[in-house]
């Protein structure tokens, strides 16, 4: 709370998310002019260091639309058409240490190649995994870009690209077509 207060007092920014993560830690997300956000983050870091550990921080310039939506709402809201999963698709999973690291990785992945977000899983013990789909070369490139970006600010635990996954694996993905059918009501008249 002290860090968020310092951030709001340091610059003309808006607090869009304050969330407890991993017990005693918190993720604080703010928006505003890029220079104001940088000043606010620096102030928040300085304030938080007086009370404990700062795990990591990042400033995203022009985040990917899905990332911005996730930060504002705390939810991934996609329709069935957004996820084009076929048997020829690949799945990319990047496990990172912490929420901020995962968001930086996800933003980089979505900007690096023509891939779609399939989910963001809190896998326990402080690890968070962005999951993407797309064609094999795009997924490989995106996972590499995400790992590089996440590695600059934190820890990448593991990464995996699954080429032409078995159809049965689709049912376990967070936003797979099989699971979306359970979440999205059919359109009227269908």
């Amino acid at each position: 709370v002290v860090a968020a207060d310092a951030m709001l007092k340091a610059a003309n920014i808006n607090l869009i998310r304050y969330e407890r993560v991993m017990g005693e830690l918190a993720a604080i997300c703010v928006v505003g002019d890029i220079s104001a956000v940088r000043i606010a983050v620096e102030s928040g870091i300085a304030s938080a260091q007086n009370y404990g550990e700062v795990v990591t921080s990042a400033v995203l310039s022009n985040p990917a639309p899905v990332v911005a939506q996730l930060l504002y709402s705390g939810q991934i809201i996609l329709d069935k058409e957004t996820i084009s999963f076929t048997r020829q698709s690949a799945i990319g999973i990047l496990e990172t240490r912490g929420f901020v690291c995962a968001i930086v990785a996800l933003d980089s992945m979505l900007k690096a190649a023509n891939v779609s977000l399939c989910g963001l899983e809190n896998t326990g013990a402080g690890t968070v995994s962005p999951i993407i789909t797309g064609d094999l070369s795009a997924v490989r490139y995106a996972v590499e870009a995400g790992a590089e970006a996440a590695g600059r600010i934190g820890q990448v635990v593991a990464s995996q690209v699954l080429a032409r996954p078995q159809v049965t694996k689709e049912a376990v993905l967070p936003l797979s077509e099989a699971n979306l059918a359970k979440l999205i009501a059919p359109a009227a008249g269908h």
Side-chain angles (χ1 to χ4, degrees), residues 89-108:
S89 293
I91 299 170
I93 304 167
L94 183 63
E95 188 174 14
T96 67
R97 180 83 54 208
F99 179 74
V100 174
C101 219
I103 292 297
V104 168
L106 177 59
D107 188 58
S108 181

Side-chain angles (χ1 to χ4, degrees), residues 122-145:
N122 182 344
T123 52
T127 59
V128 182
S129 299
I131 304 168
I132 58 169
T133 62
D135 70 55
L136 180 59
S137 60
V139 168
R140 278 191 178 143
Y141 187 76
V143 168
E144 288 175 13

